[in-house]
Amino acid sequence: MLTLATPLQAGGGLLYWAIIFFVLAIVAAAVGARGVAGISMEIARIFVLIFIILAVVALLL
């Protein structure tokens, strides 16, 4: 019987949302909404950090 291992995908959704918030921040900065741009960049930064941590943990396990 042949069984295939499913790779551990840690944080794939987080990276997607980080890119979405980064693009939102760029658009908001271009329009002049500095508050929205700052908040979006903070959320994107947090998602990227969580993604990196989960990716390192997944590689070590």
Side-chain angles (χ1 to χ4, degrees), residues 26-58:
I26 291 174
V27 170
V31 175
R34 293 181 187 216
V36 175
I39 292 171
S40 296
M41 282 303 294
E42 275 299 311
I43 293 172
R45 186 180 66 83
I46 290 169
F47 281 165
V48 168
L49 289 175
I50 292 172
F51 169 78
I52 290 171
I53 291 169
L54 290 177
V56 168
V57 168

